[in-house]
């Protein structure tokens, strides 16, 4: 078998080594999720929760595959995000943010870990209250959970992405809820968190995707958000975007020294995976560089 053939075989889920890496990443990210959940208490700062999740993943993955010939990339595949109440997703604030959790908050946590580019993503909704959740909040939680369970059973060889889209919308309607538009589920490959095959939560002219059929040995991250509203996200305030991903298919010609420094840091630390801007603000502060990012 040639080196190319061996490398191609390793990328497939038929390889026990690849399965082991996926399972290891999943175990780590699930423990990180439980850690963040345990810290979700009234007056807890969201930025601290995000840092705890990322730090745990970095610590746990850093101790793996240290004594191997080939360098194994590992760590955070998507920054820990803690999105509260009507914030849909991907809230990972900068260190200066003072936002805290309050009693009754509905807290949506999502994060991802990778080992050698094989990604395990996880998300969970946690309500800050004692006793059972009731009313419309319970409807939204049940709709999202049931839809996710059905989606996982439909992502099977021979099924199509539109089967999942149709099923989750019917389930949400049964709870008098709506699936939130613009939330996509992607196929994942080695070092690719948003592959070409996509499951759209709500099909409309603005979010059309190509029809696709699920195949054996593919990996998907299923992402579903349900709402008691109309399911159409709205811009309520101008919160700063903090999560980015380098466009690897583009080249950059930067003139400013500060810009070249930032790009060098990104290329070294996050060449492919998404990252939070807070990583660089902390790094720049330690270097006493006055640079806006």
């Amino acid at each position: 078998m040639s080196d190319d053939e061996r490398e191609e075989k390793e990328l497939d889920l038929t390889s026990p080594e690849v399965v082991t890496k996926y399972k290891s990443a999943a175990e780590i990210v699930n423990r990180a999720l439980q850690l963040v959940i345990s810290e979700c208490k009234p007056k807890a700062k969201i930025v601290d929760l995000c840092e705890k999740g990322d730090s745990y993943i970095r610590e746990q993955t850093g101790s793996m595959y240290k004594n191997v010939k080939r360098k194994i990339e590992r760590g955070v595949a998507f920054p820990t995000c803690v999105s509260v109440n009507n914030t849909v997703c991907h809230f990972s604030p900068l260190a200066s943010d003072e936002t805290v959790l309050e009693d009754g908050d509905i807290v949506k946590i999502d994060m991802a870990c990778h080992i050698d580019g094989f990604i395990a993503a996880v998300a969970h909704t946690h309500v800050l209250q004692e006793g059972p959740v009731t009313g419309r909040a319970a409807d939204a939680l049940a709709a999202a959970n049931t839809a996710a369970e059905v989606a996982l059973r439909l992502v099977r060889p021979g099924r199509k992405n539109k089967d999942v889209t149709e099923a989750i919308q019917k389930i949400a309607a049964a709870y008098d809820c709506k699936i939130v538009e613009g939330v996509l589920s992607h196929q994942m490959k080695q070092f690719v968190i948003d592959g070409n095959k996509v499951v759209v939560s709500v099909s409309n002219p603005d979010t059309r995707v190509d029809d696709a059929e699920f195949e054996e040995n593919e990996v998907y991250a299923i992402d579903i958000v349900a709402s008691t509203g109309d399911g159409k996200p709205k811009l309520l305030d101008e919160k700063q975007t903090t999560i980015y991903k380098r466009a690897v298919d583009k080249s950059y010609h930067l003139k400013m020294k500060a810009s070249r420094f930032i790009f060098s840091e990104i290329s070294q630390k996050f060449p492919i995976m998404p990252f939070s801007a807070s990583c660089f603000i902390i790094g720049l502060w330690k270097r006493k560089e006055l640079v806006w990012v």
Side-chain angles (χ1 to χ4, degrees):
M1 181 184 294
S2 68
D3 291 341
D4 289 342
E5 290 173 334
R6 189 175 294 108
E7 183 178 355
E8 181 66 26
K9 181 176 178 59
E10 184 183 4
L11 300 180
D12 195 289
L13 277 176
T14 55
S15 165
E17 184 179 357
V18 170
V19 174
T20 297
K21 290 173 180 176
Y22 271 121
K23 286 185 175 180
S24 298
E27 290 171 359
I28 290 171
V29 79
N30 275 310
R31 292 199 300 268
L33 174 64
Q34 292 306 314
L35 171 64
V36 174
I37 292 173
S38 70
E39 297 290 335
C40 285
K41 302 172 184 178
K43 304 307 177 183
K45 291 176 66 173
I46 290 179
V47 66
D48 292 341
L49 298 173
C50 293
E51 177 55 30
K52 286 180 185 293
D54 290 348
S55 294
Y56 184 87
I57 291 174
R58 287 193 295 264
E59 175 187 332
Q60 294 296 307
T61 56
S63 62
M64 303 180 67
Y65 294 97
K66 296 175 68 174
N67 302 315
V68 293
K69 293 181 179 180
R70 180 174 68 89
K71 181 182 178 182
I72 301 292
E73 299 288 342
R74 57 208 186 276
V76 175
F78 198 94
T80 301
C81 297
V82 177
S83 308
V84 180
N85 298 330
N86 60 346
T87 300
V88 178
C89 58
H90 300 171
F91 183 61
S92 182
L94 303 180
S96 59
D97 194 289
E98 297 293 328
T99 308
V100 298
L101 300 181
E102 302 289 355
D103 275 320
D105 279 346
I106 298 176
V107 184
K108 299 175 291 296
I109 307 163
D110 64 288
M111 59 179 75
C113 168
H114 82 95
I115 297 174
D116 198 18
F118 298 104
I119 303 164
V122 67
H124 179 75
T125 301
H126 178 69
V127 182
L128 263 64
Q129 71 173 53
E130 295 183 4
V133 181
T134 59
R136 294 295 284 146
D139 291 337
L141 290 169
N145 183 69
T146 307
E149 291 293 333
V150 171
L152 289 173
R153 286 162 174 76
L154 289 176
V155 179
R156 294 286 186 269
R159 288 282 194 171
K160 298 183 183 297
N161 54 355
K162 64 180 181 181
D163 297 335
V164 178
T165 301
E166 293 171 358
I168 64 177
Q169 289 187 58
K170 289 179 180 178
I171 290 167
Y175 288 92
D176 194 22
C177 292
K178 296 283 187 180
I179 296 296
V180 176
E181 296 180 6
V183 179
L184 305 177
S185 299
H186 289 271
Q187 180 189 8
M188 298 192 297
K189 299 180 180 179
Q190 187 181 28
F191 292 109
V192 179
I193 198 168
D194 49 359
N196 293 330
K197 286 188 177 182
V198 179
V199 179
V200 64
S201 295
V202 179
S203 181
N204 59 44
D206 296 327
T207 55
R208 288 186 178 180
V209 298
D210 294 335
D211 289 341
E213 183 175 308
F214 304 119
E215 299 179 35
E216 192 172 1
N217 296 321
E218 291 180 336
V219 177
Y220 288 83
I222 302 301
D223 196 356
I224 295 173
V225 182
S227 170
T228 56
D230 61 9
K232 300 179 184 295
K234 300 177 180 65
L235 184 63
L236 297 182
D237 54 39
E238 296 288 346
K239 288 190 181 295
Q240 181 180 355
T241 298
T242 59
I243 297 179
Y244 301 88
K245 183 166 74 74
R246 181 188 169 191
V248 295
D249 58 338
K250 295 182 179 180
S251 58
Y252 303 88
H253 303 285
L254 305 174
K255 296 181 180 180
M256 294 178 60
K257 179 182 177 181
S259 300
R260 293 196 299 271
F261 171 76
I262 289 293
F263 183 70
S264 175
E265 289 281 290
I266 292 172
S267 298
Q268 291 177 30
K269 297 179 180 178
F270 307 100
I272 298 176
M273 298 295 183
F275 60 90
S276 172
S278 61
C279 297
F280 296 100
I281 290 180
I282 293 172
L284 291 172
W285 181 256
K286 289 180 179 178
R287 291 179 176 82
K288 297 183 180 179
E289 297 253 6
L290 293 177
V291 181
W292 292 105
V293 294

